[in-house]
Amino acid sequence: DVDQFQIFSFIYDLTYRLLKRDCDMLSGDLKYFELLKRTYPSIKAHSHEIGNRAYANMFAADKEIKKLFNNTPPAQAQRLIDTVMLYCEESDNFELLYGKLDNIAHIHINHCVKNEYYPVMREAFTKALCETLEISESSELAYAWSYGFGRLSDELIHIEDLIRKHSTESITEEA
């Protein structure tokens, strides 16, 4: 049946991405994820300030994104930074992450978050990290955390695209 095929297709695609991700981590990515795990405790200590600065930077950079957040609770910045922290700390535990990312992806879809917002947020996050820690944006630490944020963004974009595709296919089949 079509629903079983869609589920199989979703699982196959996700499995492929996980294997590719694991292979990438075994190559050059591992260096950055190791740096993220090593520096996680010191970054976590500044997470609140980084989150608040990241949102301020993002709103200054893109007015359309700022409108999207008009009715969000003040804790949203902390939610973002907590997700980044969890992803970077648990980057090798996708089972733990998938449930969280799937939930976030559904929220993003419901709030009309666009894929093109992710690079803006990544840049805002990196700038906030560098401002807070008083480090250069060209430092290895800044690059590693920006890279981790980018990988998190890629995962969310992919999950959101799969959800949208599945929703569109389900609606088309019902019609």
Side-chain angles (χ1 to χ4, degrees):
D1 297 76
V2 177
D3 283 346
Q4 287 178 329
F5 177 76
Q6 288 174 340
I7 291 169
F8 174 77
S9 177
F10 179 82
I11 292 170
Y12 175 82
D13 189 57
L14 187 58
T15 302
Y16 171 79
R17 285 190 48 83
L18 290 174
L19 289 172
K20 182 179 180 330
R21 179 176 170 266
D22 288 347
C23 288
D24 288 347
M25 286 181 71
L26 290 174
S27 59
D29 292 357
L30 189 57
K31 169 183 164 184
Y32 297 114
F33 281 101
E34 286 174 351
L35 182 58
L36 294 176
K37 285 183 178 278
R38 258 194 344 266
T39 59
Y40 170 83
S42 59
I43 302 298
K44 178 91 172 142
H46 299 283
S47 66
H48 184 72
E49 184 178 354
I50 293 168
N52 287 335
R53 283 185 183 210
Y55 269 80
N57 292 341
M58 181 176 61
F59 294 158
D62 192 311
K63 301 304 177 204
E64 182 180 336
I65 293 175
K66 185 175 182 176
K67 289 178 195 173
L68 192 67
F69 286 90
N70 280 341
N71 297 319
T72 57
Q76 179 59 35
Q78 192 61 45
R79 287 184 194 139
L80 165 79
I81 204 71
D82 288 347
T83 302
V84 173
M85 295 289 117
L86 178 68
Y87 183 81
C88 293
E89 182 186 32
E90 300 290 343
S91 58
D92 54 352
N93 186 354
F94 196 78
E95 294 81 21
L96 173 76
L97 293 173
Y98 182 74
K100 177 87 170 163
L101 298 182
D102 185 61
N103 184 43
I104 292 168
H106 279 89
I107 292 168
H108 284 180
I109 290 168
N110 289 337
H111 288 91
C112 303
V113 173
K114 298 177 183 175
N115 291 353
E116 55 266 22
Y117 295 164
Y118 286 98
V120 175
M121 190 61 210
R122 179 181 182 176
E123 187 175 318
F125 169 80
T126 304
K127 182 178 179 186
L129 177 83
C130 293
E131 291 168 348
T132 303
L133 300 179
E134 298 178 356
I135 60 173
S136 167
E137 287 188 37
S138 62
S139 71
E140 186 176 38
L141 181 63
Y143 181 82
W145 280 88
S146 178
Y147 182 81
F149 192 98
R151 291 300 298 260
L152 170 61
S153 298
D154 291 346
E155 298 289 350
L156 282 168
I157 288 168
H158 183 73
I159 294 168
E160 290 166 19
D161 287 347
L162 287 173
I163 293 168
R164 286 185 192 104
K165 180 181 176 189
H166 180 72
S167 295
T168 302
E169 288 172 358
S170 295
I171 291 170
T172 304
E173 289 167 12
E174 291 174 7

